[in-house]
Amino acid sequence: MHRKDITKWSSVVDTLRPLRNIVRTKNTGAVIINNVEDVTNRRKFILKLAKALLSFGAPSHRIESQLKAASDILDTQAEFVHLPNMIIVSIRNGDTRSSRTHFVRATGRIALSSLHKVHMIYRDVLHDNMGAEAGTEALRKLLQSPPIYPLLVRCAVAFVCAAIICVLSFGGSVVDLWISGACACCLQYLGLNAANKSSMYANVYEISVSIIVAFVARGLSSIPGHLFCYSAISSAGVVLILPGFTVLTSALELMSRNIFCGSVRIVYAIIYTLFLGFGLTIGSDLYLVVDRRARHAYYRGNTPTDMIYTHGTFTMVNGTTPFRSISGVLAQGNSSQILNLIKGCPRDASEPWFKQPLPWWAMFFLVPIYSTCSSLSNLQAWNQWQLLVMVTFSCCAYAANRATSMALPGRIDLISATGAFVLGTLGNLYSRLVRGTAFTSMVTGVLFLVPSGIAQGGGLTQTYHSSAEQYSGGFSLALRMISVAAGVTIGLFVSQVIVYLFGSRKNVAHFAF
């Protein structure tokens, strides 16, 4: 057979492939009839969809299933391997018995509005409401569009988020929230401006901002009179760069049997947390080195100055082992000088209102404001009704989290699991009954559960007196984050199983946690 004949028959096969696609996809319940296109356009749509999912922060444990469902319905004969920040696409050509491999690489952060549009395009193409070529063009325009909010607006939103989380989760006062908000605003500016322009600074961005936040917090907390709280300012100042979402993603991947990506992400999150704790430690110690008076006051702070010491042998009457003689030093003093600590912050009931934590009823308006600002910081459009859904789901999850923390104090895994179960049930019901996007509606609530769970476990910063305690504190913070992520993972998966236990089967992949 001549080469011209081979070319002629190849073109005929490519022309008849869409008709074969109609017959093949009837077995899966999805039929492409109205928008039958050439296989080349369908393969371009698959590649552009993979890049869009990576760029806008789609749930990584669902990416392979989404692309596989799209490939089966569109009959592109493609296989996918998902690696961190990369998708390997292998497209087979059954006629020539060859294959072509594409490497789709993209790094990005969560963009809720763009991710919702990607899901709508994905659904329209697979449900035969849009052609593959039109879907590819829509995804291309979406990838080329700039962020919906300018830099100053995103910095202002970060200020409000950190200020509210300071008083809501870390026991800060009205005075502390302004400082933590200013630190988060500077952190956001450096992350979106300086770190994006300089690859060298991007490598030390997290450590540098944590040093700055800890230095400012330690300096203000050293002012006599306990006007500022170091724990509240430093914890809320760096809450925006905590790898809580990364830990949650790794836990979801491990539960989905994606061992490679899950293990890589969770090891990265642990090391990242150690670097973050190390930066906070350096910033605090740096100010103590500069200010000698603050250094002496810090190391003297845990030791009362008006104690009476007695050396000798003593017999304890009411101990665990009564009437047992011990030798040593007995210290006696006035217990009225012991400070009242609320979430690591010294508070006295006789102090004015601006040095006290906010009352319990303040959360009724602070939680919706924080949820709204958190959604805006993740690039959710303010004029879409999905924003109201996100805020409502987030408030419901926080209410369940708060109620469980009062019934089971200290159990951060069960507390997070309860909030995640409520959030997952609402999100999946919203997706199944209203045909909304489950993932984007739940992101705000999930991101709210991470700092709330860490605050229930003791916050970010702790007092230390040696380098060993410093690194053990970093590991304990990583373990608390893993406990929170494990609880959230169990709650999300159980809620999804319950919601989709009955009813018809989905033709496309789940777009949820």
Side-chain angles (χ1 to χ4, degrees):
M1 185 179 293
H2 297 287
R3 181 175 300 177
K4 293 183 179 179
D5 296 334
I6 296 176
T7 305
K8 180 179 179 180
W9 279 107
S10 299
S11 62
V12 171
V13 170
D14 289 338
T15 304
L16 294 178
R17 185 183 298 276
L19 300 178
R20 187 184 67 178
N21 184 47
I22 298 175
V23 177
R24 176 174 295 186
T25 55
K26 284 183 178 179
N27 297 328
T28 63
V31 182
I32 305 297
I33 298 177
N34 299 324
N35 297 280
V36 178
E37 295 186 5
D38 184 70
V39 65
T40 305
N41 294 332
R42 287 176 274 151
R43 289 171 177 173
K44 289 181 179 179
F45 173 76
I46 293 293
L47 295 175
K48 193 62 67 175
L49 176 64
K51 187 174 184 63
L53 292 175
L54 284 179
S55 301
F56 299 132
S60 56
H61 65 294
R62 303 287 188 192
I63 289 180
E64 282 192 30
S65 60
Q66 290 167 354
L67 294 175
K68 183 62 178 175
S71 175
D72 292 341
I73 293 177
L74 298 178
D75 190 25
T76 57
Q77 300 184 12
E79 298 292 337
F80 308 93
V81 176
H82 178 221
L83 302 175
N85 299 329
M86 180 185 295
I87 297 177
I88 302 175
V89 184
S90 177
I91 299 177
R92 301 188 306 274
N93 191 342
D95 303 320
T96 61
R97 295 184 179 181
S98 61
S99 63
R100 177 175 295 181
T101 303
H102 300 265
F103 293 87
V104 181
R105 183 179 180 88
T107 56
R109 50 170 297 171
I110 298 177
L112 294 179
S113 290
S114 300
L115 198 57
H116 176 72
K117 294 177 182 178
V118 170
H119 181 55
M120 292 296 102
I121 297 171
Y122 167 83
R123 178 181 294 178
D124 288 340
V125 172
L126 298 193
H127 289 176
D128 203 15
N129 298 325
M130 178 188 294
E133 186 176 3
T136 304
E137 184 63 26
L139 291 176
R140 182 181 294 109
K141 292 181 180 179
L142 199 59
L143 287 169
Q144 294 175 354
S145 61
I148 60 176
Y149 298 121
L151 178 60
L152 294 180
V153 174
R154 298 172 72 176
C155 292
V157 170
F159 177 92
V160 178
C161 287
I164 293 178
I165 205 68
C166 176
V167 299
L168 200 61
S169 297
F170 299 110
S173 63
V174 178
V175 181
D176 297 327
L177 66 87
W178 297 100
I179 307 301
S180 59
C183 292
C185 184
C186 296
L187 182 151
Q188 186 81 327
Y189 177 80
L190 292 175
L192 296 177
N193 190 16
N196 287 335
K197 293 181 179 179
S198 175
S199 59
M200 296 181 61
Y201 178 70
N203 296 328
V204 295
Y205 160 68
E206 292 84 3
I207 297 180
S208 64
V209 295
S210 60
I211 290 175
I212 295 172
V213 171
F215 184 87
V216 173
R218 180 61 69 189
L220 294 176
S221 64
S222 300
I223 299 176
H226 301 290
L227 182 61
F228 298 96
C229 176
Y230 169 76
S231 176
I233 295 175
S234 58
S235 299
V238 298
V239 72
L240 294 179
I241 59 174
L242 283 178
F245 190 75
T246 304
V247 176
L248 173 62
T249 303
S250 64
L252 292 170
E253 289 175 338
L254 291 174
M255 285 288 292
S256 302
R257 303 297 189 270
N258 191 350
I259 300 176
F260 179 77
C261 290
S263 58
V264 169
R265 291 182 190 274
I266 199 167
V267 171
Y268 164 76
I270 293 175
I271 302 301
Y272 179 93
T273 306
L274 291 177
F275 286 159
L276 192 62
F278 186 65
L280 292 173
T281 302
I282 292 177
S284 176
D285 288 348
L286 185 60
Y287 182 82
L288 295 179
V289 170
V290 174
D291 192 346
R292 181 180 301 177
R293 179 192 58 82
R295 181 171 68 252
H296 292 313
Y298 173 75
Y299 288 109
R300 256 195 345 259
N302 297 325
T303 305
T305 57
D306 56 346
M307 303 294 290
I308 301 176
Y309 298 95
T310 305
H311 298 262
T313 303
F314 309 94
T315 302
M316 300 300 175
V317 179
N318 58 348
T320 305
T321 305
F323 303 105
R324 180 181 178 181
S325 299
I326 58 173
S327 299
V329 181
L330 178 63
Q332 295 174 312
N334 187 7
S335 61
S336 61
Q337 295 184 357
I338 298 178
L339 294 176
N340 182 26
L341 295 178
I342 300 178
K343 294 183 178 180
C345 298
R347 304 299 182 195
D348 191 354
S350 61
E351 292 179 342
W353 63 271
F354 59 85
K355 296 176 64 175
Q356 300 290 338
L358 295 184
W360 62 271
W361 48 263
M363 69 178 66
F364 286 103
F365 61 90
L366 289 180
V367 172
I369 295 176
Y370 176 83
S371 301
T372 303
C373 293
S374 178
S375 301
L376 297 179
S377 66
N378 289 311
L379 301 180
Q380 169 62 37
W382 63 272
N383 55 354
Q384 294 181 352
W385 66 276
Q386 287 88 0
L387 178 62
L388 180 61
V389 176
M390 297 176 189
V391 174
T392 303
F393 289 177
S394 178
C395 293
C396 294
Y398 182 81
N401 196 333
R402 184 76 174 181
T404 309
S405 65
M406 297 175 64
L408 300 172
R411 293 300 305 272
I412 59 177
D413 50 352
L414 295 180
I415 294 172
S416 302
T418 305
F421 176 78
V422 173
L423 181 64
T425 303
L426 293 174
N428 288 292
L429 286 176
Y430 170 71
S431 174
R432 185 160 195 177
L433 301 179
V434 191
R435 302 300 180 184
T437 307
F439 177 76
T440 56
S441 64
M442 293 190 294
V443 166
T444 301
V446 168
L447 294 179
F448 202 176
L449 293 176
V450 174
S452 299
I454 293 176
Q456 295 291 336
L460 271 69
T461 57
Q462 296 179 352
T463 303
Y464 64 92
H465 296 91
S466 64
S467 59
E469 293 182 6
Q470 165 194 337
Y471 283 102
S472 64
F475 276 112
S476 65
L477 175 59
L479 291 177
R480 287 199 297 272
M481 296 181 64
I482 293 175
S483 299
V484 173
V488 173
T489 301
I490 296 298
L492 292 175
F493 274 119
V494 171
S495 64
Q496 187 179 33
V497 170
I498 292 177
V499 172
Y500 287 98
L501 187 61
F502 305 99
S504 59
R505 184 178 64 90
K506 290 174 67 71
N507 292 326
V508 297
H510 293 282
F511 195 69
F513 279 103

